[in-house]
Amino acid sequence: MDLTLYNTTTGTKNKLRPVHDREVRMYHCGPTVYDFAHIGNFRSSIVYDVLRRTLEYADYHIMQVMNITDIDDKTIKRSSEEGVPLSDLTLRYENYFLADLRNLNVKIPKYLPRATEHIGGMIALIEKLLADGFAYKAEDGVYFEIAKSQGYGALAGLDLEAQTQARVTGDDYDKKNARDFALWKFWVPEDGENVFDAPFGRGRPGWHIECSVMAMDKLGETIDIHSGGADLIFPHHTNEIAQSEAATGKTFVNNWLHIEFLMVDGQKMSKSLNNFITIRTIVERGFSPLAYRYWVLGAHYRSKANFTWAGLEGAQTAWIRLKDHLGTEVGEVNSTYKKRFLEIILDDLDTPRALALAWEVAKDPTLSLADKTATLLDFDLVLGLGLEPREQENIPEKIKILLAAREQARQNRDWAKSDAIRDEVNAMGWELSDTDSGPKVSRK
Ligand code: AMP
Ligand code: ZN
């Protein structure tokens, strides 16, 4: 069975045709590690994960890369504000990011290259672009000349006529065209010790070149799937295509996949708008990260999703109820349901319909409890909702969530809140004791 995916470039759904038989090579634009990631970032991560799990479920092999952007304006600025070396800062937030991914049941990609570990490759690519006449040196850096690029902006549907008119006026250094972008930025005092020697001048890479190099390094010059949030279509992915294809003369990416925004009150969730929510906040407010995952799966990745706490509450209730439909025994996976599930998920990762089918299974009176359990566990290979066979002494999900919220409160040294949660757990008929191996609960 083949995966059908929507491709941003063509605006149509197409059958995936991997370059290497059934091995799918994919690259995801990962986090810039200068602060906690927000749940909008994690919407993108959850979609990458569903893509990966779907490919595995449909017997493809995968090669998966997600980069870590650990050098750019934001990371450098934050490290100098905090007075810590850049790598201390970026490693700290990389670890938080990976921990959040694990809590969201996102399988960690095998390759997680950091930009600072690929500077040599970036310098080599820039040298090639300079030698071939696609790049030029300006006062403050090395730029890619978009007028030399074939079909620049096709991914974003940009109007090329308008491009050529976008001449630089005033003192915007000596760029030839306003949209020419920096491949390399020469050292300025704010960069401090974050500087690398290069034949064309000391400095550091621009953001776009980082992804081209890390993608091609592991996956080759033509990649099957490249993905990221919809905010990356222009300029980031547009520029990645221009510089990669100029250097190799080959198609850089066969399928571009873009995840629509997570919105709050009609605006994109983002750091700069200061309307962001982290996984930590969700846990503190008494939600499981997997309830958030359930909420994400409830919207198709190509539609905007408007986040509200009431919506998350609804998702958590539904998720807990779905888990309650599993029994202790695991029987046979129902083949008719499995076939339908495959069709749905292979149709451009249609997670809302996949969830609806899971509910159909959960409520089907003709299935034995054991077969129902097996079928739901099978779907969960893709959905990743942490479904599991019921245990004999089952700790209710609500209690587990309260325990996680109490752990978070303790980490924040918020003892009043931690005590209040203990009282709540007690009131629900459970005894809580702190042991060496963490908190334990038992029925009173
Ligand atoms: P950043 O750390 O800003 O480089 O973003 C990491 C990933 O999250 C990128 O793929 C972004 O496109 C994606 N992203 C950022 N904001 C949102 C949002 N509000 N909704 C969905 N994805 C987002
Ligand atoms: Zn990228």
Side-chain angles (χ1 to χ4, degrees):
M1 292 275 263
D2 296 331
L3 175 63
T4 299
L5 273 187
Y6 181 86
N7 184 354
T8 310
T9 315
T10 57
T12 53
K13 284 203 254 182
N14 306 295
K15 265 208 171 119
L16 183 71
R17 304 235 174 278
V19 177
H20 306 268
D21 299 321
R22 281 193 70 89
E23 180 179 270
V24 178
R25 301 191 177 188
M26 53 188 171
Y27 184 88
H28 317 302
C29 281
T32 308
V33 280
Y34 69 105
D35 200 343
F36 290 107
H38 58 68
I39 59 172
N41 302 128
F42 289 117
R43 180 184 192 198
S44 289
S45 317
I46 291 168
V47 174
Y48 308 158
D49 186 55
V50 169
L51 169 64
R52 171 203 171 138
R53 287 165 173 267
T54 298
L55 289 167
E56 288 174 337
Y57 189 81
D59 290 330
Y60 289 93
H61 297 286
I62 57 155
M63 254 182 104
Q64 190 185 23
V65 179
M66 180 179 72
N67 73 293
I68 307 280
T69 300
D70 63 349
I71 181 162
D72 78 329
D73 295 346
K74 288 184 272 193
T75 46
I76 292 175
K77 183 159 174 276
R78 184 63 66 90
S79 80
S80 78
E81 280 166 6
E82 286 195 16
V84 296
L86 184 63
S87 58
D88 287 12
L89 177 96
T90 56
L91 208 58
R92 183 199 314 155
Y93 287 109
E94 179 185 314
N95 285 331
Y96 282 132
F97 184 77
L98 295 177
D100 283 344
L101 287 186
R102 290 191 187 93
N103 288 330
L104 289 163
N105 261 355
V106 170
K107 292 189 182 181
I108 308 293
K110 179 161 180 197
Y111 302 105
L112 296 168
R114 301 186 185 104
T116 50
E117 290 163 359
H118 287 266
I119 304 288
M122 296 173 204
I123 292 173
L125 192 69
I126 296 169
E127 280 200 282
K128 175 148 177 53
L129 291 170
L130 279 166
D132 295 350
F134 289 104
Y136 60 91
K137 234 170 121 164
E139 194 178 310
D140 62 341
V142 179
Y143 285 86
F144 184 87
E145 187 170 357
I146 64 164
K148 298 272 175 69
S149 152
Q150 286 261 319
Y152 180 82
L155 178 74
L158 293 182
D159 178 355
L160 286 174
E161 280 297 304
Q163 296 298 307
T164 44
Q165 285 163 14
R167 289 275 155 201
V168 183
T169 51
D171 56 357
D172 192 358
Y173 300 102
D174 48 353
K175 280 200 308 183
K176 296 187 185 174
N177 182 305
R179 287 220 165 132
D180 287 353
F181 57 90
L183 296 164
W184 189 257
K185 299 178 178 186
F186 294 142
W187 185 83
V188 289
E190 297 89 81
D191 289 340
E193 62 202 24
N194 302 302
V195 61
F196 304 91
D197 284 320
F200 36 79
R202 274 158 61 78
R204 63 180 168 93
W207 172 36
H208 316 305
I209 197 81
E210 297 184 357
C211 278
S212 281
V213 167
M214 288 186 274
M216 292 195 287
D217 174 60
K218 282 280 176 299
L219 304 176
E221 292 177 341
T222 299
I223 295 162
D224 296 310
I225 304 172
H226 190 316
S227 65
D231 53 334
L232 302 184
I233 297 174
F234 182 83
H236 186 50
H237 290 160
T238 296
N239 292 348
E240 274 190 51
I241 295 172
Q243 66 205 3
S244 306
E245 298 193 350
T248 68
K250 294 183 188 150
T251 300
F252 175 46
V253 171
N254 283 333
N255 298 264
W256 282 97
L257 184 151
H258 290 102
I259 296 121
E260 257 304 342
F261 298 142
L262 180 108
M263 312 285 287
V264 203
D265 299 328
Q267 283 185 305
K268 177 193 166 204
M269 180 174 285
S270 74
K271 289 274 165 55
S272 52
L273 292 171
N274 208 27
N275 60 356
F276 65 90
I277 296 164
T278 61
I279 296 293
R280 249 138 262 266
T281 309
I282 283 192
V283 171
E284 273 165 30
R285 289 238 198 161
F287 293 97
S288 162
L290 295 181
Y292 176 66
R293 184 172 172 120
Y294 186 101
W295 181 85
V296 167
L297 301 186
H300 192 266
Y301 77 89
R302 281 196 290 122
S303 36
K304 291 193 171 64
N306 199 42
F307 180 82
T308 59
W309 288 103
L312 185 60
E313 184 88 54
Q316 176 145 296
T317 306
W319 173 67
I320 292 173
R321 286 203 186 124
L322 183 63
K323 291 179 75 138
D324 283 343
H325 280 276
L326 278 81
T328 50
E329 305 286 320
V330 183
E332 299 282 327
V333 176
N334 180 284
S335 59
T336 316
Y337 275 121
K338 186 178 174 89
K339 191 163 166 279
R340 283 176 64 196
F341 182 78
L342 250 177
E343 269 164 20
I344 288 171
I345 204 71
L346 289 176
D347 178 11
D348 199 24
L349 313 176
D350 198 343
T351 55
R353 277 175 61 215
L355 278 186
L357 188 70
W359 275 103
E360 208 181 311
V361 171
K363 299 213 158 142
D364 186 340
T366 67
L367 283 182
S368 72
L369 182 57
D371 289 359
K372 193 178 279 187
T373 304
T375 307
L376 288 173
L377 288 175
D378 182 64
F379 291 5
D380 206 45
L381 295 173
V382 173
L383 301 175
L385 292 170
L387 303 185
E388 49 199 10
R390 185 178 291 276
E391 292 158 21
Q392 297 301 346
E393 152 97 299
N394 225 11
I395 302 172
E397 206 55 52
K398 192 69 205 163
I399 299 284
K400 290 188 199 159
I401 291 167
L402 284 171
L403 290 183
R406 181 167 170 271
E407 276 314 290
Q408 188 66 56
R410 284 158 64 90
Q411 268 179 33
N412 298 345
R413 311 191 143 266
D414 186 348
W415 311 120
K417 181 156 187 193
S418 150
D419 288 346
I421 295 175
R422 174 198 285 267
D423 294 345
E424 201 177 336
V425 169
N426 271 317
M428 290 172 79
W430 291 75
E431 194 92 63
L432 200 162
S433 49
D434 288 304
T435 70
D436 287 346
S437 54
K440 288 264 177 319
V441 281
S442 52
R443 276 204 193 276
K444 281 210 259 190

